[in-house]
Amino acid sequence: MKTRYSFGGDEHVYVEIDEEMSLEAFFIALSLRNAVAEAEIPGVTEICPANASFEVRFDPDVIAPEEIMARIRELEHKAEVSDKRLETRIIEIPVYFQDPWTHETLMRFRERHQDPTGSDLDYAARINGYDSVEAFLEAFHSQPWFVSMVGFVAGLPFLYQLVEREKQIQVPKYLRPRTDTPKLSVGIGGCFGCIYSVRGAGGYQLFGITPMPIYDPTQTVSYLKDFMVFFRPGDIVKWKPVDRAEYERIEAAVAAGTYTPRIAPVTFDLDAFNADIAGTNANLMEALNGI
């Protein structure tokens, strides 16, 4: 990997570890981002992490652009020898797959899709080599996903599937974005899964919807009172398929303030994962059984 540094306007330095997303690039970016934060460089006002990169905002009246870039470059060696272990959490996210609301939406926008004759799930299953939608959904929810960044839209997680590279599900985005997407829709664009935190435009293929809010600027949802954004980079997600009755039960519990997401603390070790992906995933998901 060769780190690329560039300026973003007058107040930002962009640091890209790799053009291609990988867990290795994510960990190096996270380590370098942490090193920049710990260095407490004068003039740094914000650090925004992404999949395999991060951006530093600085005050040019306090530190010159060339100096801030040089200071960040000096810290790169710390990231290369960093510990590839992350104390994080695994979260169970209920999903009502093939729900009527995302299906109605995606059928309204078939003229913008690669395959106007079927659904997003039909297309995703076919191009990934699955014989049925059910087999595709089993591959989608049977293994955990890693939150590699949060953003683009407030609170929206980008999720990277924790499987061997050749087994990763990939589906291109719509040819032209939709002008509408239901809030809390679940889907994929490229190799990244996501949950739409708010209603709005979007181009990801739609597979289902969760009843669990992940962004609440009013901070009235019981588990979002401390912070309006639920996800953070490094979180691990286990999808749990639910039917309509369970979806409505959880939705009612959220409204009543009695819903508590299933969360367990875990340690993610990149070297252990690369050595035994199936075993690591089984251990991660087993952590949820103890709560």
Side-chain angles (χ1 to χ4, degrees):
M1 298 179 187
K2 183 175 176 56
T3 305
R4 181 169 68 90
Y5 297 83
S6 58
F7 290 112
D10 297 329
E11 300 180 357
H12 297 85
V13 173
Y14 177 65
V15 183
E16 183 182 62
I17 303 302
D18 199 343
E19 290 184 353
E20 183 176 288
M21 170 57 195
S22 68
L23 289 173
E24 287 77 7
F26 169 85
F27 270 84
I28 293 173
L30 180 64
S31 297
L32 182 52
R33 178 261 173 219
N34 291 342
V36 173
E38 291 165 5
E40 297 184 347
I41 302 170
V44 171
T45 59
E46 187 176 4
I47 307 173
C48 181
N51 295 312
S53 61
F54 63 94
E55 192 169 65
V56 178
R57 186 178 184 183
F58 64 95
D59 184 345
D61 292 330
V62 175
I63 187 168
E66 294 77 12
E67 183 179 352
I68 181 67
M69 183 176 285
R71 293 286 298 274
I72 297 171
R73 285 179 179 272
E74 291 171 359
L75 297 168
E76 188 173 342
H77 70 282
K78 290 187 177 182
E80 293 174 351
V81 295
S82 65
D83 186 13
K84 297 179 182 179
R85 290 167 60 89
L86 183 65
E87 298 301 324
T88 185
R89 56 185 184 165
I90 185 167
I91 305 157
E92 184 177 86
I93 303 294
V95 182
Y96 179 17
F97 290 108
Q98 302 186 78
D99 65 285
W101 307 289
T102 58
H103 182 75
E104 184 277 331
T105 300
L106 66 90
M107 294 308 292
R108 273 193 285 129
F109 293 96
R110 295 326 289 167
E111 80 283 357
R112 300 171 183 237
H113 196 274
Q114 291 88 343
D115 182 5
T117 62
S119 71
D120 291 6
L121 273 168
D122 293 333
Y123 175 69
R126 186 177 73 252
I127 68 169
N128 280 278
Y130 290 94
D131 294 334
S132 66
V133 164
E134 290 70 26
F136 173 82
L137 285 175
E138 174 69 23
F140 179 86
H141 69 69
S142 63
Q143 299 300 322
W145 292 65
F146 189 92
V147 177
S148 58
M149 68 171 281
V150 180
F152 184 73
V153 174
L156 184 150
F158 285 73
L159 300 122
Y160 183 82
Q161 195 177 29
L162 292 176
V163 294
E164 294 83 351
R165 194 81 167 188
E166 62 274 11
K167 293 182 180 178
Q168 284 182 343
I169 294 168
Q170 297 190 56
V171 192
K173 293 187 287 186
Y174 277 40
L175 298 175
R176 289 186 295 131
R178 298 176 303 274
T179 56
D180 188 26
T181 307
K183 177 182 177 180
L184 299 178
S185 297
V186 174
I188 287 183
C191 69
F192 287 106
C194 89
I195 303 172
Y196 282 83
S197 53
V198 297
R199 183 178 182 180
Y204 279 28
Q205 310 284 337
L206 302 180
F207 303 155
I209 194 167
T210 177
M212 181 182 147
I214 59 170
Y215 170 65
D216 177 23
T218 67
Q219 292 181 253
T220 55
V221 173
S222 59
Y223 54 87
L224 294 174
K225 289 185 182 295
D226 293 334
F227 191 55
M228 67 181 73
V229 173
F230 180 74
F231 285 108
R232 51 184 182 250
D235 280 344
I236 296 169
V237 166
K238 173 65 177 75
W239 309 109
K240 179 190 177 184
V242 298
D243 59 15
R244 181 160 186 167
E246 179 67 1
Y247 173 92
E248 292 176 348
R249 186 196 69 77
I250 295 172
E251 194 175 43
V254 169
T258 59
Y259 182 72
T260 302
R262 282 171 48 84
I263 303 172
V266 292
T267 299
F268 184 82
D269 186 311
L270 181 59
D271 290 334
F273 173 79
N274 287 332
D276 181 9
I277 293 176
T280 299
N281 287 351
N283 290 335
L284 289 170
M285 292 186 289
E286 181 64 25
L288 285 169
N289 295 331
I291 59 172

